[in-house]
Amino acid sequence: MAHSFPEEVLEHVFSFIDSDKDRNAVSLVCKSWYEIERWCRRKIFIGNCYAVTPRIMIRRFPELRSVSLKGKPHFADFDLVPEGWGGYVDPWVSAMGRAYPLLEELRLKRMVVSDDTLEMVSKSFKNFKVLVLSSCEGFTTDGLASIAANCRNLRELDLRESDVEDLGGNWLSCFPESCTSLVSLNISCLGSEWSLRNLSALERLVGRSPNLRRLRMNRAVPLDKLANLLRRAPYLVELGTGAFSSELHPDVFSNLSGAFSGCKELRALSGFWDVVPAYLPAVYTICSGLTSLNLSYAAVQSSDLVKLITQCQNLQRLWVLDYIEDSGLEALAESCKNLQELRVFPSDPFAAEPNVTLTEQGLVAVSEGCPKLESVLYFCRQFTNDALFTIAKNRPSLTRFRLCIIEPRTPDYITLEPLDAGFGAIVQNCKELRRLSLSGLLTDRVFEHIGTHAKKLEMLSIAFAGDGDLGLHHVLSGCESLRKLEIRDCPFGDKALLANAAKLETMRSLWMSSCSVSFEACKLLGQKMPRLNVEVIDERGPPDSRPESCPVNTVYIYRSIAGPRLDMPAFVWTMDEELALRLS
Amino acid sequence: MSSEADNSSMNFDETALTLGLPGKSRPSVGEKSGVKREFSEMVDLNLHKKQNNDQEHDDGSQVEVTEPAKSPASKAQVVGWPPVRSFRKNTIKSCKYVKVAVDGAPYLRKVDLELYTSYQQLLTSLESMFSCFTIRNRMNDGKPMDLVNGSEYVPTYEDKDGDWMLVGDVPWKMFVESCRRLRLMKSSEALGLGNRHTPCYKFPF
């Protein structure tokens, strides 16, 4: 008895299903649903560009309009992945240029993008709308010029935190006068000083973009230009200023203040490089509407920060430097009852002595005062188990908790004990915790707690912690939802890795650098697990030029159906099948 | 899916976990976590190896390392720690991170030029940074270079205009301002650049 709907009906139903998880579930129901679903899937997210090939993607999903790709592992952000490791997007764009002429959106993170690739993007996809390059590198403003010149319907150009070589040209003028479709422009990462021609090109571009809602400029855009820009874009929802400094002049201030008050839709502010505190009050009129405030470049004193922050009662997200100090965080906890996310960055991470009074007290105060707090990133120099107990008790709703005590292996500064119990309380109470970064003095006990309690944990970052293999074993055998595990400078070795080899296929990736994993174990793992790519990254030359028991510098393991990659540089070794056959 | 079941099917009996310390054949594994291992020092910036670096510190404090080029106020830096992205470091305090390439070494490094006050400090630091390498010499079929003879490297840099210059030609401050990246070039390749009288720095490989 078959009550099957016609394909068109099913397709129509499926068009309401957006999430990848649900789409994947639909495709598993039966063969015909699999077929129908794959032809009508429009969006894909690939968390590791080496897990699959462009050919496989195109073969299964012939009609994609939106592709998101991630390349290098997270620790690349901290210079732990050597240059030339990989993550090149060019093969993807070449293949998609042929297969997806109707592609509209490309979102890349930690990938290497060249100017040629950007030119290919700009010319291959007639209806291209969205380009997001997050923490990417390898391209210059010439590549941006191609995008500007050729993408007639561009809606979004977002270069967040990418490393762009600014050739100082005039790329903004390459947007034709007929381009009026921009909704979002983020060029905050661009480095060098700008010519007046670029600035006026920006003004004209903003002026002819009635749909512009997100504009993040770079440091080079001077404050005295900001008022004009704001007046041309009064419907902005998100703004990133340039440098927030100028010679003190009442006209500049009143002009700026007036311009801000005209922007009644503003919900997010960022930028604020080189802040002259006297100019901060220019934004006061729109503070009550702000939900997101990024002051992480603003090197100003706590009192100035507090004056601003306490006006933002609807704040949901705050990024700030540790200049805010404990006192400022206490004020935050009093005023901003809707706060969901707090990030406190270090103003002087390499100073031997603390330069500000930012301690565990600040975070405890926020955990007490902000009932909706769920996401924390906190750099500081001291912590206690008690403070962690309190935070865990106050905020069982935490989903992301990243604590970075700057000095590795710092104990509880009052009891001088490891912080095992404190982090144990966090994982035990915060049952929805998805992301955790550890620091301070930690033994294998903390990993026992994590393995026992952190059942929803998806991403874990560990550094300078643990006593031996048992620690790693607890994590790999206990954390059922674990997808990404990154470890550096821990005494974890072969045993836990090999004993939990099957677990690795259920995860996206495992990174271990400066640990005690031997080349022998890497080879064994690579041989026995064909669906894992086991990459040994070592600068000292071929691993087989040293004893097999010698620890490798870095091993990066990820699941893949693409097989060994073909673009490995000289300092990366992997066990390919041929070699595996010869050795087994 | 139990890892124990998979364990036996892959014949990992030898590697089955026990509660005792892992095998003694790898001495580094049994040590307390307070110790930095030799191999990890190779990729750490600006660290001099102490002769007796197997001291253990129960209070968990980092092994203090001396570094002549640093001001006394700041500690020796570990690569990638604390985990702060370089664009943040560059904007917060006066910081001038530039990439350093050495002919023959696969990895690039980054140094913060603001940490030094003279050419000598910078070059001493670069020496210690790259001295741990086993540099491949293509002429010797990949065998490590003859340590006795060493090799001569010439420090060069790319300036704001994209030109490659010899390090040391201009006053220090001007150099810090205009330097975009550094390259330690094999002296045989550097013949075309500038002045023959510029000193070649001999690295004790």
Side-chain angles (χ1 to χ4, degrees), chain A residues 471-493:
Chain A
L472 181 57
H473 177 66
H474 284 308
V475 170
L476 287 177
S477 57
C479 296
E480 290 159 7
S481 310
L482 198 62
R483 291 189 299 115
K484 291 179 277 183
L485 179 56
E486 47 184 26
I487 303 173
R488 61 163 298 171
D489 293 274
C490 295
F492 299 147

PDB file of all heavy atoms in Angstrom, chain A residues 471-493:
ATOM      1  N   GLY A 471      43.917  10.803  31.403  1.00  0.00           N
ATOM      2  CA  GLY A 471      43.145  12.020  31.197  1.00  0.00           C
ATOM      3  C   GLY A 471      42.480  12.025  29.836  1.00  0.00           C
ATOM      4  O   GLY A 471      41.275  12.254  29.704  1.00  0.00           O
ATOM      5  N   LEU A 472      43.267  11.745  28.810  1.00  0.00           N
ATOM      6  CA  LEU A 472      42.718  11.746  27.454  1.00  0.00           C
ATOM      7  C   LEU A 472      41.686  10.637  27.294  1.00  0.00           C
ATOM      8  O   LEU A 472      40.658  10.808  26.639  1.00  0.00           O
ATOM      9  CB  LEU A 472      43.848  11.583  26.434  1.00  0.00           C
ATOM     10  CG  LEU A 472      43.424  11.579  24.958  1.00  0.00           C
ATOM     11  CD1 LEU A 472      42.655  12.852  24.599  1.00  0.00           C
ATOM     12  CD2 LEU A 472      44.652  11.432  24.050  1.00  0.00           C
ATOM     13  N   HIS A 473      41.954   9.526  27.941  1.00  0.00           N
ATOM     14  CA  HIS A 473      41.013   8.411  27.833  1.00  0.00           C
ATOM     15  C   HIS A 473      39.645   8.778  28.406  1.00  0.00           C
ATOM     16  O   HIS A 473      38.602   8.454  27.833  1.00  0.00           O
ATOM     17  CB  HIS A 473      41.569   7.182  28.543  1.00  0.00           C
ATOM     18  CG  HIS A 473      40.634   6.021  28.537  1.00  0.00           C
ATOM     19  ND1 HIS A 473      40.280   5.354  27.382  1.00  0.00           N
ATOM     20  CD2 HIS A 473      39.958   5.410  29.541  1.00  0.00           C
ATOM     21  CE1 HIS A 473      39.436   4.383  27.668  1.00  0.00           C
ATOM     22  NE2 HIS A 473      39.216   4.394  28.974  1.00  0.00           N
ATOM     23  N   HIS A 474      39.647   9.475  29.554  1.00  0.00           N
ATOM     24  CA  HIS A 474      38.370   9.895  30.149  1.00  0.00           C
ATOM     25  C   HIS A 474      37.558  10.709  29.163  1.00  0.00           C
ATOM     26  O   HIS A 474      36.354  10.521  29.018  1.00  0.00           O
ATOM     27  CB  HIS A 474      38.627  10.754  31.394  1.00  0.00           C
ATOM     28  CG  HIS A 474      39.045   9.976  32.588  1.00  0.00           C
ATOM     29  ND1 HIS A 474      38.361   8.888  33.065  1.00  0.00           N
ATOM     30  CD2 HIS A 474      40.092  10.161  33.432  1.00  0.00           C
ATOM     31  CE1 HIS A 474      38.972   8.422  34.141  1.00  0.00           C
ATOM     32  NE2 HIS A 474      40.023   9.185  34.388  1.00  0.00           N
ATOM     33  N   VAL A 475      38.237  11.633  28.502  1.00  0.00           N
ATOM     34  CA  VAL A 475      37.532  12.535  27.584  1.00  0.00           C
ATOM     35  C   VAL A 475      37.007  11.769  26.378  1.00  0.00           C
ATOM     36  O   VAL A 475      35.833  11.876  26.009  1.00  0.00           O
ATOM     37  CB  VAL A 475      38.469  13.679  27.121  1.00  0.00           C
ATOM     38  CG1 VAL A 475      37.841  14.474  25.996  1.00  0.00           C
ATOM     39  CG2 VAL A 475      38.795  14.595  28.285  1.00  0.00           C
ATOM     40  N   LEU A 476      37.866  10.978  25.773  1.00  0.00           N
ATOM     41  CA  LEU A 476      37.459  10.291  24.544  1.00  0.00           C
ATOM     42  C   LEU A 476      36.399   9.235  24.799  1.00  0.00           C
ATOM     43  O   LEU A 476      35.526   9.004  23.962  1.00  0.00           O
ATOM     44  CB  LEU A 476      38.681   9.660  23.862  1.00  0.00           C
ATOM     45  CG  LEU A 476      39.638  10.644  23.189  1.00  0.00           C
ATOM     46  CD1 LEU A 476      40.852   9.923  22.615  1.00  0.00           C
ATOM     47  CD2 LEU A 476      38.938  11.441  22.095  1.00  0.00           C
ATOM     48  N   SER A 477      36.470   8.615  25.963  1.00  0.00           N
ATOM     49  CA  SER A 477      35.490   7.554  26.211  1.00  0.00           C
ATOM     50  C   SER A 477      34.211   8.078  26.837  1.00  0.00           C
ATOM     51  O   SER A 477      33.173   7.434  26.747  1.00  0.00           O
ATOM     52  CB  SER A 477      36.098   6.466  27.092  1.00  0.00           C
ATOM     53  OG  SER A 477      36.560   7.041  28.292  1.00  0.00           O
ATOM     54  N   GLY A 478      34.268   9.263  27.456  1.00  0.00           N
ATOM     55  CA  GLY A 478      33.095   9.739  28.176  1.00  0.00           C
ATOM     56  C   GLY A 478      32.250  10.789  27.474  1.00  0.00           C
ATOM     57  O   GLY A 478      31.035  10.851  27.650  1.00  0.00           O
ATOM     58  N   CYS A 479      32.882  11.631  26.663  1.00  0.00           N
ATOM     59  CA  CYS A 479      32.147  12.768  26.093  1.00  0.00           C
ATOM     60  C   CYS A 479      31.423  12.345  24.825  1.00  0.00           C
ATOM     61  O   CYS A 479      31.981  12.346  23.731  1.00  0.00           O
ATOM     62  CB  CYS A 479      33.104  13.920  25.782  1.00  0.00           C
ATOM     63  SG  CYS A 479      33.880  14.593  27.261  1.00  0.00           S
ATOM     64  N   GLU A 480      30.148  12.018  24.984  1.00  0.00           N
ATOM     65  CA  GLU A 480      29.396  11.416  23.885  1.00  0.00           C
ATOM     66  C   GLU A 480      29.175  12.340  22.709  1.00  0.00           C
ATOM     67  O   GLU A 480      29.042  11.885  21.578  1.00  0.00           O
ATOM     68  CB  GLU A 480      28.029  10.968  24.408  1.00  0.00           C
ATOM     69  CG  GLU A 480      28.149   9.778  25.338  1.00  0.00           C
ATOM     70  CD  GLU A 480      26.937   9.637  26.259  1.00  0.00           C
ATOM     71  OE1 GLU A 480      25.948  10.381  26.082  1.00  0.00           O
ATOM     72  OE2 GLU A 480      27.006   8.775  27.143  1.00  0.00           O
ATOM     73  N   SER A 481      29.116  13.644  22.959  1.00  0.00           N
ATOM     74  CA  SER A 481      28.771  14.569  21.877  1.00  0.00           C
ATOM     75  C   SER A 481      29.994  15.252  21.280  1.00  0.00           C
ATOM     76  O   SER A 481      29.860  16.149  20.456  1.00  0.00           O
ATOM     77  CB  SER A 481      27.830  15.654  22.403  1.00  0.00           C
ATOM     78  OG  SER A 481      26.756  15.071  23.101  1.00  0.00           O
ATOM     79  N   LEU A 482      31.168  14.799  21.702  1.00  0.00           N
ATOM     80  CA  LEU A 482      32.394  15.505  21.320  1.00  0.00           C
ATOM     81  C   LEU A 482      32.602  15.500  19.808  1.00  0.00           C
ATOM     82  O   LEU A 482      32.550  14.452  19.171  1.00  0.00           O
ATOM     83  CB  LEU A 482      33.594  14.856  22.010  1.00  0.00           C
ATOM     84  CG  LEU A 482      34.868  15.683  22.077  1.00  0.00           C
ATOM     85  CD1 LEU A 482      34.651  16.952  22.875  1.00  0.00           C
ATOM     86  CD2 LEU A 482      35.989  14.853  22.704  1.00  0.00           C
ATOM     87  N   ARG A 483      32.823  16.682  19.249  1.00  0.00           N
ATOM     88  CA  ARG A 483      33.110  16.785  17.817  1.00  0.00           C
ATOM     89  C   ARG A 483      34.512  17.299  17.550  1.00  0.00           C
ATOM     90  O   ARG A 483      35.169  16.897  16.600  1.00  0.00           O
ATOM     91  CB  ARG A 483      32.103  17.709  17.136  1.00  0.00           C
ATOM     92  CG  ARG A 483      30.683  17.147  17.078  1.00  0.00           C
ATOM     93  CD  ARG A 483      29.765  17.984  16.205  1.00  0.00           C
ATOM     94  NE  ARG A 483      29.613  19.352  16.687  1.00  0.00           N
ATOM     95  CZ  ARG A 483      30.034  20.431  16.018  1.00  0.00           C
ATOM     96  NH1 ARG A 483      30.617  20.317  14.855  1.00  0.00           N
ATOM     97  NH2 ARG A 483      29.865  21.640  16.541  1.00  0.00           N
ATOM     98  N   LYS A 484      34.926  18.263  18.354  1.00  0.00           N
ATOM     99  CA  LYS A 484      36.248  18.841  18.109  1.00  0.00           C
ATOM    100  C   LYS A 484      37.032  18.854  19.412  1.00  0.00           C
ATOM    101  O   LYS A 484      36.571  19.369  20.425  1.00  0.00           O
ATOM    102  CB  LYS A 484      36.122  20.278  17.586  1.00  0.00           C
ATOM    103  CG  LYS A 484      35.549  20.353  16.176  1.00  0.00           C
ATOM    104  CD  LYS A 484      35.414  21.779  15.697  1.00  0.00           C
ATOM    105  CE  LYS A 484      34.143  22.429  16.185  1.00  0.00           C
ATOM    106  NZ  LYS A 484      33.983  23.808  15.652  1.00  0.00           N
ATOM    107  N   LEU A 485      38.233  18.282  19.347  1.00  0.00           N
ATOM    108  CA  LEU A 485      39.100  18.246  20.515  1.00  0.00           C
ATOM    109  C   LEU A 485      40.450  18.791  20.098  1.00  0.00           C
ATOM    110  O   LEU A 485      41.036  18.327  19.117  1.00  0.00           O
ATOM    111  CB  LEU A 485      39.240  16.810  21.033  1.00  0.00           C
ATOM    112  CG  LEU A 485      40.124  16.565  22.250  1.00  0.00           C
ATOM    113  CD1 LEU A 485      39.679  17.409  23.443  1.00  0.00           C
ATOM    114  CD2 LEU A 485      40.114  15.090  22.622  1.00  0.00           C
ATOM    115  N   GLU A 486      40.924  19.813  20.808  1.00  0.00           N
ATOM    116  CA  GLU A 486      42.218  20.395  20.470  1.00  0.00           C
ATOM    117  C   GLU A 486      43.056  20.464  21.741  1.00  0.00           C
ATOM    118  O   GLU A 486      42.607  20.955  22.763  1.00  0.00           O
ATOM    119  CB  GLU A 486      42.054  21.773  19.823  1.00  0.00           C
ATOM    120  CG  GLU A 486      41.110  22.706  20.531  1.00  0.00           C
ATOM    121  CD  GLU A 486      40.888  24.025  19.816  1.00  0.00           C
ATOM    122  OE1 GLU A 486      41.039  24.095  18.576  1.00  0.00           O
ATOM    123  OE2 GLU A 486      40.557  25.010  20.511  1.00  0.00           O
ATOM    124  N   ILE A 487      44.263  19.950  21.622  1.00  0.00           N
ATOM    125  CA  ILE A 487      45.128  19.771  22.789  1.00  0.00           C
ATOM    126  C   ILE A 487      46.533  20.243  22.459  1.00  0.00           C
ATOM    127  O   ILE A 487      47.043  19.932  21.381  1.00  0.00           O
ATOM    128  CB  ILE A 487      45.207  18.271  23.163  1.00  0.00           C
ATOM    129  CG1 ILE A 487      43.808  17.706  23.412  1.00  0.00           C
ATOM    130  CG2 ILE A 487      46.084  18.069  24.393  1.00  0.00           C
ATOM    131  CD1 ILE A 487      43.794  16.202  23.613  1.00  0.00           C
ATOM    132  N   ARG A 488      47.144  20.965  23.394  1.00  0.00           N
ATOM    133  CA  ARG A 488      48.542  21.346  23.185  1.00  0.00           C
ATOM    134  C   ARG A 488      49.305  21.195  24.485  1.00  0.00           C
ATOM    135  O   ARG A 488      48.750  21.451  25.567  1.00  0.00           O
ATOM    136  CB  ARG A 488      48.649  22.768  22.657  1.00  0.00           C
ATOM    137  CG  ARG A 488      48.075  23.815  23.598  1.00  0.00           C
ATOM    138  CD  ARG A 488      48.548  25.201  23.280  1.00  0.00           C
ATOM    139  NE  ARG A 488      49.987  25.340  23.414  1.00  0.00           N
ATOM    140  CZ  ARG A 488      50.662  26.416  23.034  1.00  0.00           C
ATOM    141  NH1 ARG A 488      50.040  27.429  22.497  1.00  0.00           N
ATOM    142  NH2 ARG A 488      51.977  26.474  23.195  1.00  0.00           N
ATOM    143  N   ASP A 489      50.553  20.778  24.387  1.00  0.00           N
ATOM    144  CA  ASP A 489      51.430  20.723  25.555  1.00  0.00           C
ATOM    145  C   ASP A 489      50.834  19.956  26.725  1.00  0.00           C
ATOM    146  O   ASP A 489      50.810  20.443  27.872  1.00  0.00           O
ATOM    147  CB  ASP A 489      51.789  22.162  26.006  1.00  0.00           C
ATOM    148  CG  ASP A 489      52.658  22.845  24.962  1.00  0.00           C
ATOM    149  OD1 ASP A 489      53.879  22.649  25.033  1.00  0.00           O
ATOM    150  OD2 ASP A 489      52.111  23.538  24.073  1.00  0.00           O
ATOM    151  N   CYS A 490      50.342  18.763  26.468  1.00  0.00           N
ATOM    152  CA  CYS A 490      49.837  17.882  27.523  1.00  0.00           C
ATOM    153  C   CYS A 490      50.540  16.541  27.401  1.00  0.00           C
ATOM    154  O   CYS A 490      50.856  16.107  26.305  1.00  0.00           O
ATOM    155  CB  CYS A 490      48.323  17.679  27.377  1.00  0.00           C
ATOM    156  SG  CYS A 490      47.377  19.191  27.619  1.00  0.00           S
ATOM    157  N   PRO A 491      50.735  15.848  28.523  1.00  0.00           N
ATOM    158  CA  PRO A 491      51.470  14.579  28.468  1.00  0.00           C
ATOM    159  C   PRO A 491      50.589  13.402  28.046  1.00  0.00           C
ATOM    160  O   PRO A 491      50.612  12.350  28.673  1.00  0.00           O
ATOM    161  CB  PRO A 491      51.951  14.417  29.918  1.00  0.00           C
ATOM    162  CG  PRO A 491      50.910  15.102  30.726  1.00  0.00           C
ATOM    163  CD  PRO A 491      50.415  16.261  29.899  1.00  0.00           C
ATOM    164  N   PHE A 492      49.816  13.598  27.003  1.00  0.00           N
ATOM    165  CA  PHE A 492      48.957  12.531  26.501  1.00  0.00           C
ATOM    166  C   PHE A 492      49.696  11.803  25.399  1.00  0.00           C
ATOM    167  O   PHE A 492      50.308  12.434  24.539  1.00  0.00           O
ATOM    168  CB  PHE A 492      47.649  13.098  25.924  1.00  0.00           C
ATOM    169  CG  PHE A 492      46.801  13.845  26.907  1.00  0.00           C
ATOM    170  CD1 PHE A 492      46.033  14.920  26.507  1.00  0.00           C
ATOM    171  CD2 PHE A 492      46.754  13.469  28.245  1.00  0.00           C
ATOM    172  CE1 PHE A 492      45.243  15.613  27.402  1.00  0.00           C
ATOM    173  CE2 PHE A 492      45.964  14.161  29.153  1.00  0.00           C
ATOM    174  CZ  PHE A 492      45.209  15.234  28.737  1.00  0.00           C
ATOM    175  N   GLY A 493      49.605  10.460  25.428  1.00  0.00           N
ATOM    176  CA  GLY A 493      50.391   9.693  24.470  1.00  0.00           C
ATOM    177  C   GLY A 493      49.570   8.725  23.666  1.00  0.00           C
ATOM    178  O   GLY A 493      48.401   8.972  23.357  1.00  0.00           O
TER     179      GLY A 493
END
